[in-house]
């Protein structure tokens, strides 16, 4: 422990050697692959389903298996990095991710695909927190205005452009390339990180006190939570016995995990980082940013596919705007972070996010690329303006020996925010659609003259074409009612997100302005 802390403390000179810069950039690219792989597949599940002859419920597990495995590994990576060293953990994770990507491309049936995706998610999850930890360990505070925007950009850009890349690959080639695209870069990342990472030394003495009970309970707790959140809405929550069993497992696993976290000599996850006020608030904001990041990456494609009838490639082309906005805003956010109070940046970002979601309140069935352009630009710019100061506030003042563990917790909050956000959004969409449908149907009755006139006009046109005009008109009217109920439910969700980000903007006043980096012995 002492050796690790000393190495970390000594690892932040005023200038960074080319060796460490190469190692860090390779790590950033590895993290980009791991995060991208979530959304690159989600945009093309229908192609995978057709290719493997799977059912709709089975193919959903291609995503769920990855997310469950990843969410277990992310907090575990902190203790593993201390035991193995960042070099061994990251290089092995990159190699394992590359091999499991190749295996996923060779899957002959849905069962094999689910197993390979679980392996891919678990191993790949080890790369994500390591990058955040390295950024705040090897770079001095004077360099963080350059580094923080980079990792913030990768963490937010990857899931945003995932649908674009996934749609292009599955259309231009085949679904196999969703996984094969990782192989070449993965080999390069593995070689570079194994060769150049020298940030720290392993502490094998931690193996003797490793908390296996804590590990198993954490896996049950987080895995069950991710399953319940992912599958709950599709299975009508507690009406399904599997969701009930998952919730029971989550509670039991959670109780044992938190008990071990505070009683074990060397816990799997050290929750004491939350005693740092800025880390606690940074993690809270990261949680909500996960809702905004993954929620909107889900909502826009859902609207474009269900209402506009877009395929995955057209959705990707429309969604590309947010990614471009993030890319262009990253250097600006970096410069601002060195000059502006991070609380002001966060408030501005949250307000921009809220304005973007409020603009969607005028949504209708004709909205297309141009109507969604400004809200998407606001979303992309605001994400970067928020993410950079949140990273700095959460991790920038922790003592070096706490950063590896805290980085895993911090990244976990963003993933859990996305999972919780998607569960809430899906549930709200389902409930609000049913409510709006019922209210619209009350007005579309045989006693409504306008409805009867519309049915007569449309029915006559189809009757003249030799069809059963009355049946076709009724079917079309039912489709219009369903579509309007959908659109109104989308508006409700976007208004809810507007309120959420407005509250967050007000909460920024509760954060202490970060001062100099905490000394290495301040956490004891």
């Amino acid at each position: 422990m002492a050796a690790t802390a000393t190495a970390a403390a000594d690892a932040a000179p005023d200038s960074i050697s080319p060796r460490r810069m190469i190692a860090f950039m390779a790590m950033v690219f590895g993290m980009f692959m791991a995060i991208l792989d979530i959304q690159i597949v989600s945009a093309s599940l229908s192609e995978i389903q057709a290719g493997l002859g799977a059912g709709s419920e089975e193919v959903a597990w291609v995503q769920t298996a990855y997310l469950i495995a990843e969410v277990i590994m992310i907090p575990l990576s902190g203790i593993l990095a201390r035991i193995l060293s960042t070099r061994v953990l990251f290089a092995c994770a990159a190699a394992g991710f590359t091999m499991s990507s190749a295996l996923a491309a060779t899957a002959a049936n849905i069962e094999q695909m689910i197993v390979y995706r679980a392996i891919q998610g678990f191993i790949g999850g080890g790369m994500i927190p390591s990058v955040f930890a390295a950024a705040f360990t090897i770079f001095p505070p004077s360099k963080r205005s350059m580094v923080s925007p980079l990792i913030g950009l990768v963490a937010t850009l990857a899931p945003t452009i995932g649908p674009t890349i996934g749609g292009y690959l599955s259309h231009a080639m085949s679904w196999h390339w969703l996984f094969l695209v990782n192989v070449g870069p993965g080999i390069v990342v593995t070689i570079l990180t194994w060769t150049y990472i020298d940030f720290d030394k392993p502490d094998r003495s931690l193996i003797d006190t490793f908390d296996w009970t804590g590990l198993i309970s954490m896996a049950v707790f987080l895995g069950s939570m991710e399953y319940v959140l992912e599958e709950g809405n599709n299975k009508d929550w507690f009406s399904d016995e599997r969701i009930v069993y998952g919730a029971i497992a989550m509670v039991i696993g959670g109780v044992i995990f938190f008990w071990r976290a505070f009683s074990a000599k060397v816990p799997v996850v050290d929750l004491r980082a939350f005693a740092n006020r800025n880390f606690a608030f940074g993690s809270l904001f990261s949680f909500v940013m996960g809702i905004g990041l993954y929620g909107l990456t889900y909502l826009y494609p859902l609207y474009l596919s269900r209402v506009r009838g877009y395929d995955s490639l057209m959705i990707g082309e429309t969604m590309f705007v947010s990614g471009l906005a993030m890319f262009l805003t990253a250097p600006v956010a970096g410069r601002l972070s060195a000059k502006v109070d991070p609380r002001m940046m966060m408030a501005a970002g949250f307000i921009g996010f809220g304005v973007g979601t409020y603009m969607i309140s005028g949504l209708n069935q004709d909205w297309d690329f141009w109507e969604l352009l400004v809200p998407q630009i606001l979303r992309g710019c605001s994400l970067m303006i928020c993410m950079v100061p949140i990273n700095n506030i959460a991790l920038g003042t922790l003592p070096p020996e706490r950063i590896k563990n805290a980085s895993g917790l911090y990244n976990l909050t963003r993933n859990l925010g996305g999972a919780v956000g998607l569960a809430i959004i899906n549930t709200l969409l389902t409930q609000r659609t049913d409510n709006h449908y019922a209210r619209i149907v009350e007005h579309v009755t045989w006693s409504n003259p306008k409805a009867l006139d519309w049915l007569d006009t449309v029915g006559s046109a189809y009757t003249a074409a030799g069809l059963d005009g009355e049946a076709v008109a009724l079917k079309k009217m039912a489709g219009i009612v369903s579509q309007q109920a959908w659109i109104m439910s989308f508006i409700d969700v976007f208004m809810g997100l507007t309120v959420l980000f407005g509250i967050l903007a007000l909460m920024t006043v509760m954060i202490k302005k970060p001062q100099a980096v905490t000394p290495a012995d301040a956490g004891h």
Side-chain angles (χ1 to χ4, degrees):
M1 177 76 169
T4 307
T6 303
D10 293 338
D14 289 335
S15 61
I16 301 299
S17 67
R19 177 188 181 90
R20 287 192 168 180
M21 185 57 75
I22 292 170
F24 182 72
M25 294 306 294
M27 291 175 71
V28 167
F29 196 82
M31 179 178 82
F32 180 80
M33 289 195 306
I35 299 177
L36 180 73
D37 218 65
I38 303 169
Q39 294 297 336
I40 197 175
V41 171
S42 69
S44 305
L45 283 177
S46 57
E47 285 84 352
I48 296 173
Q49 180 180 351
L52 297 177
S56 57
E57 188 166 322
E58 290 176 315
V59 80
W61 273 94
V62 173
Q63 278 294 84
T64 305
Y66 187 98
L67 292 170
I68 288 175
E70 184 188 55
V71 87
I72 293 168
M73 181 55 157
I74 285 176
L76 179 62
S77 64
I79 187 77
L80 289 180
R82 290 163 63 195
I83 293 173
L84 301 173
S85 79
T86 303
R87 172 176 174 259
V88 173
L89 173 64
F90 199 96
C92 290
F97 181 82
T98 304
M99 288 189 286
S100 54
S101 295
L103 285 172
T106 66
N109 54 57
I110 191 65
E111 290 79 13
Q112 287 182 7
M113 174 64 80
I114 291 169
V115 171
Y116 297 151
R117 283 286 284 172
I119 296 170
Q120 192 183 25
F122 184 76
I123 297 175
M127 292 192 279
I128 299 169
S130 300
V131 178
F132 283 80
F136 287 89
T137 301
I138 66 171
F139 289 93
S142 61
K143 303 290 184 186
R144 286 182 191 157
S145 62
M146 173 187 69
V147 177
S148 196
L150 179 63
I151 59 174
L153 176 65
V154 170
T156 53
L157 183 64
T160 303
I161 66 171
T164 305
I165 296 175
Y168 176 78
L169 288 173
S170 56
H171 271 71
M173 290 175 274
S174 71
W175 64 264
H176 303 84
W177 282 94
L178 300 171
F179 307 104
L180 291 174
V181 74
N182 293 324
V183 175
I187 293 170
V188 174
V189 168
T190 303
I191 294 170
L192 289 177
T193 51
W194 183 263
T195 305
Y196 288 105
I197 292 178
D198 61 353
F199 309 153
D200 51 17
K201 302 294 181 185
D203 184 358
R204 301 285 161 73
S205 65
L206 294 172
I207 298 175
D208 298 332
T209 55
F210 190 82
D211 183 17
W212 291 100
T213 304
L215 172 61
I216 295 168
S217 60
M218 182 185 75
V220 171
F221 170 53
L222 293 175
S224 301
M225 181 191 296
E226 187 74 32
Y227 171 73
V228 169
L229 292 172
E230 279 287 313
E231 299 292 323
N233 187 64
N234 295 334
K235 300 185 184 304
D236 197 20
W237 294 103
F238 297 109
S239 300
D240 186 275
E241 65 177 17
R242 285 169 291 184
I243 297 298
V244 174
Y245 293 145
I248 292 170
M250 179 182 75
V251 171
I252 295 172
V255 169
I256 298 172
F257 165 66
F258 284 109
W259 168 61
R260 295 300 299 173
F262 291 107
S263 63
K265 184 178 179 182
V266 182
V268 173
V269 177
D270 184 2
L271 299 179
R272 288 176 296 173
F274 286 111
N276 180 298
R277 178 173 165 180
N278 276 6
F279 178 76
F281 272 104
S283 297
L284 173 63
F285 289 134
S286 174
F287 181 89
V288 182
M289 287 308 295
I291 298 176
L293 173 63
Y294 291 103
L296 292 186
T297 303
Y298 171 75
L299 280 169
Y300 281 122
L302 192 62
Y303 162 78
L304 291 169
S305 63
R306 293 212 177 182
V307 177
R308 298 293 300 168
Y310 281 18
D311 62 24
S312 57
L313 181 59
M314 294 167 70
I315 290 170
E317 291 170 347
T318 306
M319 293 282 290
F320 186 70
V321 173
S322 285
L324 183 61
M326 287 180 199
F327 187 78
L328 296 176
T329 308
V332 178
R335 290 187 179 183
L336 287 175
S337 68
K339 300 176 181 179
V340 179
D341 186 332
R343 297 170 298 180
M344 295 294 292
M345 283 186 68
M346 288 168 61
F350 291 140
I351 290 169
F353 218 118
V355 170
T357 51
Y358 180 74
M359 290 177 70
I360 306 292
S361 60
L363 186 71
N364 61 54
Q365 69 274 12
D366 297 320
W367 274 40
D368 212 327
F369 176 86
W370 294 107
E371 288 82 5
L372 296 174
L373 179 64
V374 175
Q376 286 206 83
I377 291 173
L378 280 170
R379 173 197 174 216
C381 295
S382 300
L383 266 172
M384 285 311 305
I385 291 172
C386 288
M387 187 62 74
V388 172
I390 289 174
N391 290 346
N392 290 340
I393 284 173
L395 299 173
T397 57
L398 287 170
E401 72 274 12
R402 287 273 174 87
I403 286 181
K404 284 182 184 175
N405 168 72
S407 175
L409 288 173
Y410 175 69
N411 281 277
L412 176 65
T413 58
R414 187 176 63 251
N415 279 38
L416 287 181
V420 171
L422 288 177
I424 294 172
I425 285 169
N426 270 319
T427 302
L428 283 175
L429 281 175
T430 302
Q431 293 179 349
R432 297 305 297 163
T433 300
D434 291 345
N435 289 342
H436 287 304
Y437 187 88
R439 287 170 58 192
I440 294 172
V441 166
E442 289 175 4
H443 299 282
V444 184
T445 63
W446 296 108
S447 60
N448 186 325
K450 290 184 178 180
L452 293 176
D453 288 344
W454 188 91
L455 286 171
D456 287 341
T457 303
V458 174
S460 298
Y462 281 101
T463 299
L467 299 172
D468 185 347
E470 185 176 343
V472 173
L474 283 171
K475 187 175 181 180
K476 279 195 164 294
M477 178 167 279
I480 291 171
V481 170
S482 296
Q483 184 188 72
Q484 291 304 308
W486 256 101
I487 291 170
M488 292 167 76
S489 68
F490 273 113
I491 292 171
D492 291 344
V493 171
F494 278 110
M495 287 302 294
L497 289 171
T498 301
V499 172
L500 176 64
F501 284 99
I503 293 170
L504 280 181
L506 295 175
M507 285 180 64
T508 54
V509 300
M510 300 173 69
I511 300 174
K512 287 182 179 178
K513 184 178 180 180
Q515 303 299 323
V517 178
T518 310
D521 59 354
H524 299 291

